[in-house]
Amino acid sequence: MTNIKEKIVDILAEYKNVEPSEIKTDVPFTELGLDSLDVAELVMQIEDELGVSLEMSVQYNTIDKLVAYIEQQ
C-alpha cells in the first residue's frame, strides 16, 4: 500500500471507528456506509492532512480511485 493509500485508510478507519484492516480500498464509499455528506467531510480532512486539493466534481468513488487521482496531481 502506498503512503497515500495508508493515510486515507487510516483517516477513514478513524472516521468510521473501525480497524484499518476492515477497510476495503476497491469498494465504493457507499458500500462502506458513507453518504455524500460523509464523503465531503472526509475529502476536506484528506485535503488538510495530505496538503492536496481535490475537485468535488471528479468521480472517485473508491479509495483506489481517489489515490490514483491524487498521484496524478
Side-chain angles (χ1 to χ4, degrees):
M1 221 183 295
T2 67
N3 288 337
I4 293 171
K5 187 183 287 188
E6 288 174 0
K7 186 64 178 172
I8 293 171
V9 167
D10 288 344
I11 291 168
L12 182 54
E14 183 177 327
Y15 185 83
K16 299 265 309 154
N17 199 27
V18 299
E19 291 297 317
S21 61
E22 295 180 43
I23 304 293
K24 296 179 181 169
T25 62
D26 60 343
V27 173
F29 292 119
T30 54
E31 289 184 30
L32 295 173
L34 302 175
D35 61 22
S36 58
L37 179 59
D38 293 327
V39 172
E41 289 176 4
L42 283 170
V43 164
M44 288 188 294
Q45 187 173 353
I46 290 166
E47 287 178 324
D48 288 345
E49 294 200 26
L50 297 180
V52 297
S53 180
L54 301 172
E55 295 289 327
M56 291 300 289
S57 62
V58 175
Q59 294 299 313
Y60 29 74
N61 65 344
T62 68
I63 292 173
D64 288 339
K65 289 179 182 177
L66 178 56
V67 169
Y69 175 79
I70 291 171
E71 289 177 340
Q72 290 176 355
Q73 300 306 305

